Amino acid sequence: MDLKFDPKVAFISGSTKGIGFTIARLLALEGARVIVNGRSDSAVSEAIARIEVSAPGAQVHGFGGDLSTADVAGALASRFPQVDILVNNLGIFEREAFDQIADADWQRYFKVNVMSGVRLARAYLPGIKQRDWGRIVFISSESGIQIPGDMIHYGMTKTAQLAVSRGLAETCAGTGVTVNAVLPGPTLSDGNRAAIARRAPGKPIDEVEKEFLRRCGRAPC
């Protein structure tokens, strides 16, 4: 497949592992100039090395930093002033009973999952519109539609991403720019593997997966 992404510049937040890493690797394979992001320089370097193995000759750059802060988002925009494809993938999740979620946790989730994407879209959308071509994608979740009872703070942020992406799409009507949200279901990412290991220590991953699928077959997930 040739999506004609050469010489487009793609930035994927939270892309050193999981869904974000896979997106970065596939965009590199399609010829885009990819910018990988993670909180630490070591994680970014490792991800770049893995992409370069599977996509020889790819143009892969890195940016280490916590994009939930305005200062780091500003530093990114200064270092890489032009981005054509923005994938807002950065996100955190955990299971927590509603009455145990403190105010600070609600604010932290909103700051990481929502405001990181808001700031990046605000930084890059004007240039994208000026060039009359670009793609902005928010990696939301089915949890933004069907809120999990033990992840209400996470579901809230995923619903907010739907609102932001829909509103931005309205501002791009009649241009060559699209803004969309993607709503993946449960994914056996590195983060979910770690969560399973914490909740069911010693239990094989495939057994946990089968139990999950059986449960989902009886009731909505």
Side-chain angles (χ1 to χ4, degrees):
M1 182 184 299
D2 183 2
L3 299 178
K4 302 187 185 304
F5 285 159
D6 181 14
K8 303 300 185 185
V9 179
F11 177 83
I12 307 94
S13 65
S15 48
T16 58
K17 58 185 178 180
I19 292 174
F21 174 80
T22 300
I23 293 171
R25 183 177 65 83
L26 292 174
L27 285 172
L29 285 168
E30 286 293 332
R33 178 186 166 204
V34 170
I35 306 165
V36 173
N37 163 249
R39 286 185 173 84
S40 71
D41 291 334
S42 59
V44 169
S45 296
E46 182 182 342
I48 290 174
R50 290 168 60 198
I51 291 173
E52 289 176 339
V53 167
S54 61
Q59 297 186 63
V60 189
H61 307 270
F63 181 84
D66 181 0
L67 288 170
S68 69
T69 68
D71 288 346
V72 174
L76 169 69
S78 295
R79 182 175 169 188
F80 297 101
Q82 178 177 329
V83 164
D84 305 295
I85 302 167
L86 170 63
V87 182
N88 289 308
N89 172 72
L90 177 62
I92 55 175
F93 70 93
E94 62 190 354
R95 298 183 184 279
E96 192 70 66
F98 174 72
D99 59 0
Q100 298 300 311
I101 305 172
D103 286 3
D105 290 326
W106 285 96
Q107 293 163 356
R108 177 169 60 95
Y109 267 70
F110 194 81
K111 182 179 176 182
V112 175
N113 294 6
V114 181
M115 287 308 299
S116 62
V118 167
R119 291 191 182 105
L120 294 180
R122 189 168 58 205
Y124 289 117
L125 186 55
I128 288 174
K129 283 183 175 179
Q130 187 176 34
R131 294 186 295 277
D132 200 34
W133 192 94
R135 303 288 181 261
I136 296 179
V137 180
F138 288 79
I139 305 300
S140 180
S141 167
E142 67 168 10
S143 296
I145 300 296
Q146 182 160 333
I147 314 296
D150 57 356
M151 296 174 68
I152 296 175
H153 51 342
Y154 171 77
M156 173 273 297
T157 64
K158 294 300 160 178
T159 305
Q161 286 182 320
L162 300 181
V164 173
S165 61
R166 180 63 256 172
L168 290 179
E170 293 289 346
T171 74
C172 297
T175 74
V177 181
T178 63
V179 183
N180 291 283
V182 179
L183 284 72
T187 306
L188 195 55
S189 62
D190 295 337
N192 268 326
R193 285 181 182 275
I196 289 171
R198 289 194 301 270
R199 293 198 307 272
K203 199 167 190 177
I205 292 287
D206 59 347
E207 189 175 328
V208 175
E209 185 178 23
K210 287 176 183 176
E211 289 179 359
F212 175 82
L213 292 173
R214 283 197 297 271
R215 187 170 67 251
C216 287
R218 293 195 298 270
C221 306

